Amino acid sequence: MLEIKNVHKTFGKNEILKGVDLTIDKGDVVVILGPSGSGKTTLLRCINFLERADEGTASFDTIQVDLHNASKKDILAIRKKTAFVFQNYNLFNNKTALENVAEGLYIGRGLKKEEALKISKEALNRVGLAEKYDAYPSQLSGGQQQRVGIARAVALNPDIILFDEPTSALDPELVGEVLTVMKDIAREGTTMLVVTHEMSFARDVANRVIFMDGGNVVEEGTPHEIFVQPKEERTKRFLQRVLPDDYSYHI
């Protein structure tokens, strides 16, 4: 469904992505792991044109684009197939939960407001916020705000949802509610590309795990292959550092 080839991105003198390749099939839940600064978030942002890659190509079904020279028409075509869930929610503080979800539908997608509101309510229901239609972000917990962000992505009915460390800004006690929603969405067959440090999510939900470091894909495989039988020494060192001693997958 989505194939990314030879993606390069440099900020100043820092080469963040060094020729990354990535293929995602319909229904995949792909998790990208790696230390801070490895290029994970930059890769997601380049796929959705929140950053302009210096080099690379993307094939999305019948759409083929040069990631550096893509036209506005190409970018719009890709964005119509994707949705992005941000680390820090990116909600409009002066709009209710329902308005935050609906805005992308009737402004970005041109739906009639009545239809947009109906779809938005269904999306909020799916993430457990049926009682929060009229709540403003300041009246919601961090976990609830992130669930509004997920509802906003789901409402767009995209081919793939890109998650950029969706639990990293949350207090530990709120992480579980967001991961539960993500697991439910994955079980419904939604194609997902997830940058996260949540190892249990990668183990339990992903069908493929990618480990990145230094702007490169170091290793990829099934959760069992990555967590139990990693081939690369760099992957082993990373997992030994981040996994708790009592984790059910041991190196």
Side-chain angles (χ1 to χ4, degrees), residues 65-81:
V65 298
D66 182 308
L67 291 175
H68 182 66
N69 297 310
S71 66
K72 289 183 178 180
K73 181 180 179 181
D74 290 334
I75 293 172
L76 181 60
I78 293 291
R79 285 182 173 169
K80 281 186 175 181
K81 289 180 168 289

Side-chain angles (χ1 to χ4, degrees), residues 60-97:
F60 207 136
D61 294 332
T62 60
I63 304 170
Q64 296 188 356
V65 298
D66 182 308
L67 291 175
H68 182 66
N69 297 310
S71 66
K72 289 183 178 180
K73 181 180 179 181
D74 290 334
I75 293 172
L76 181 60
I78 293 291
R79 285 182 173 169
K80 281 186 175 181
K81 289 180 168 289
T82 64
F84 204 102
V85 176
F86 297 87
Q87 291 183 37
N88 295 310
Y89 327 135
N90 276 32
L91 303 180
F92 295 107
N93 291 325
N94 63 337
K95 296 184 183 299
T96 65

